Amino acid sequence: TIQFDVSIRPNDSATVYVMQVTSLADTDRMSYQYSINGTDYYSLQQLQTQETFGASQKVDLHVRAVGSDDTILAAGNREITTPSASDVPTISGTDKFSDRTEVTITATPGAIIYYTTDGTVPTNGSQQYNTPITLTETTTIQAIAIEDGHIMSLAENIARRKPRSTELLNSIIELKNKGFSELEIANKIGRSKN
């Protein structure tokens, strides 16, 4: 029986996991093959370059040593579950604003957050989040988080909109009729009372 270890890591774009088999005895008399279904075997070098795996995916990895005459010298298998994806970040801030608003994005401690404001899904090549984002126009923010050793999270998106003047006026009248003070109204609509 072949004993082997498996290294699992995110690919360069952090969208899927790749595997590498390690701790194999390497000799000139044999080569190694792998299978993820127990039937179809391929050169072990292809495992890291051609196979990709999703988050929390169960894999029954088979490895066999093959001699120079294609005889099977030894075989073994391991059931492996890939790590989960990174947790989805949280986007916080006022939904509607009249002049400007700040939006914060938080994630699991240690995770790197990437975001877009142009409607595209972020990747690990997008703008990295470090400080609150100030918005002055209607904007849709999308964000992902990438934790060390994990693939990226699903994208979180949220729209922040600057209402038209008539909408803002109607909101102020409605809040005043509900008995809110001028300071409370100013805070609710994203403007401080001067």
Side-chain angles (χ1 to χ4, degrees):
T1 300
I2 293 180
Q3 300 295 319
F4 60 92
D5 291 322
V6 178
S7 168
I8 302 170
R9 65 173 181 79
N11 66 347
D12 291 340
S13 62
T15 55
V16 292
Y17 289 107
V18 293
M19 289 186 194
Q20 181 177 7
V21 172
T22 59
S23 306
L24 290 172
D26 195 16
T27 69
D28 294 334
R29 298 174 318 159
M30 67 179 122
S31 61
Y32 290 96
Q33 299 175 336
Y34 81 96
S35 173
I36 56 173
N37 63 13
T39 305
D40 302 313
Y41 281 84
Y42 306 96
S43 168
L44 191 57
Q45 288 79 16
Q46 293 180 350
L47 178 62
Q48 190 171 353
T49 60
Q50 295 185 9
E51 297 285 352
T52 58
F53 305 92
S56 304
Q57 182 177 341
K58 292 182 191 243
V59 179
D60 187 12
L61 182 62
H62 297 258
V63 174
R64 67 185 185 188
V66 181
S68 58
D69 60 352
D70 285 338
T71 58
I72 298 170
L73 303 173
N77 76 299
R78 288 186 62 183
E79 288 190 12
I80 301 159
T81 301
T82 60
S84 62
S86 301
D87 289 333
V88 176
T90 301
I91 302 173
S92 305
T94 305
D95 296 14
K96 296 177 186 174
F97 60 95
S98 58
D99 185 33
R100 65 181 54 236
T101 189
E102 279 198 349
V103 175
T104 58
I105 308 172
T106 55
T108 303
I112 299 172
I113 300 168
Y114 298 94
Y115 72 96
T116 60
T117 56
D118 63 1
T120 60
V121 175
T123 68
N124 62 353
S126 298
Q127 178 70 37
Q128 187 173 333
Y129 175 84
N130 294 307
T131 59
I133 304 162
T134 300
L135 303 178
T136 57
E137 296 298 324
T138 298
T139 307
T140 297
I141 298 174
Q142 294 197 54
I144 60 165
I146 301 177
E147 298 170 53
D148 189 32
H150 293 266
I151 58 176
M152 69 182 192
S153 68
L154 296 174
E156 173 69 59
N157 67 64
I158 197 153
R160 299 294 185 228
R161 75 182 191 95
K162 184 175 183 177
R164 295 188 307 263
S165 298
T166 55
E167 289 177 317
L168 183 58
L169 183 57
N170 288 337
S171 294
I172 293 170
I173 292 168
E174 185 179 328
L175 291 170
K176 188 112 174 125
N177 290 339
K178 288 183 178 180
F180 287 95
S181 70
E182 289 181 8
L183 180 59
E184 290 171 319
I185 292 171
N187 288 332
K188 285 188 175 292
I189 64 171
R191 296 191 78 130
S192 59
K193 184 177 184 264
N194 294 332

